[in-house]
Amino acid sequence: MKILNKGMADYLPTFEAMKAFNAARHADTEDELWVVEHPPVFTQGLAGKPEHLLIRDDIPVVQIDRGGQITYHGPGQLVVYTMIDFKRRKQSVRHIVSALENSIIATLAEYGIDSAADPKRPGVYVAGRKIASLGLRIKNGSVYHGLALNVNMDLTPFTHINPCGYAGLEMTQIADLVQPCPDLAEVAGKLTAHLTQQLA
């Protein structure tokens, strides 16, 4: 599996690149993990309801083709896009979702953070507060989009939405739980190592 570190990148061109990669891939295309950080943006999934945007501000809202409702991406959040041919791997989507959640849980455990998945809703939680979000799109036997782990960011924009459609859902991040907070590159290295292992 190839790991590409894309640094800080605008959301919309990254989204278009994901779709283009998925459309052009063939049976021998190597799976990739794209590690990226985005400037502030709200993304609204296919089933997204406008009422989940509570406060309209200058942060753009981008309609996209993953499942789920609205979420926020911004600086200090680690985003990993999972460009995976799950048909070739003969893995279920549930397996891939579990692999993403388990990779996040294992990464957080390295920092002494006790976290868990919730069978009723996707993502990873610490004492009921959400620290990581998941959203996937399946097309042509492949998966794209991926996960977002809050590392050291301004969480305020999450209060402008019902995160992932859940009113009153509190968010948290590594910086609120570990001092000093590790930098994004360090967390990315640990997370992609776990992802490579879990998705093998």
Side-chain angles (χ1 to χ4, degrees):
M1 185 175 298
K2 189 184 297 183
I3 298 170
L4 301 178
N5 290 291
K6 294 181 172 280
M8 179 70 74
D10 285 339
Y11 185 84
L12 201 51
T14 306
F15 174 44
E16 294 299 333
M18 277 194 287
K19 290 191 292 184
F21 177 90
N22 190 67
R25 72 178 304 155
H26 50 77
D28 298 323
T29 301
E30 186 177 4
D31 289 341
E32 296 184 357
L33 299 176
W34 295 4
V35 179
V36 65
E37 196 177 357
H38 290 305
V41 63
F42 293 118
T43 63
Q44 181 91 296
L46 286 169
K49 297 177 180 177
E51 59 264 32
H52 290 308
L53 179 62
L54 306 176
I55 298 173
R56 169 67 79 169
D57 53 21
D58 58 354
I59 298 174
V61 180
V62 180
Q63 302 292 325
I64 59 173
D65 62 351
R66 62 159 169 77
Q69 298 285 332
I70 191 167
T71 195
Y72 170 71
H73 300 302
Q77 183 188 64
L78 171 60
V79 178
V80 182
Y81 292 122
T82 51
M83 315 301 289
I84 295 169
D85 185 336
F86 84 97
K87 188 175 180 181
R88 179 177 64 205
R89 290 166 169 265
K90 297 180 170 59
Q91 295 171 333
S92 67
V93 177
R94 180 65 251 178
H95 173 88
I96 291 174
V97 169
S98 294
L100 302 191
E101 291 173 338
N102 291 339
S103 297
I104 296 164
I105 291 165
T107 300
L108 294 173
E110 292 198 50
Y111 296 107
I113 299 170
D114 186 18
S115 64
D118 182 338
K120 297 178 182 175
R121 52 190 183 180
V124 175
Y125 300 81
V126 177
R129 292 180 296 168
K130 194 167 194 178
I131 195 167
S133 302
L134 274 66
L136 299 175
R137 167 72 168 168
I138 302 152
K139 191 172 184 181
N140 302 330
S142 298
V143 170
Y144 57 104
H145 294 292
L147 64 88
L149 173 60
N150 303 335
V151 178
N152 189 5
M153 62 189 300
D154 178 6
L155 296 175
T156 305
F158 282 109
T159 66
H160 300 176
I161 61 174
N162 290 327
C164 305
Y166 292 96
L169 178 61
E170 290 186 51
M171 308 297 290
T172 191
Q173 59 183 332
I174 293 176
D176 293 341
L177 305 166
V178 175
Q179 294 297 330
C181 181
D183 65 31
L184 205 74
E186 177 187 312
V187 180
K190 292 181 185 298
L191 180 55
T192 53
H194 285 296
L195 282 167
T196 301
Q197 184 179 30
Q198 288 277 339
L199 292 166

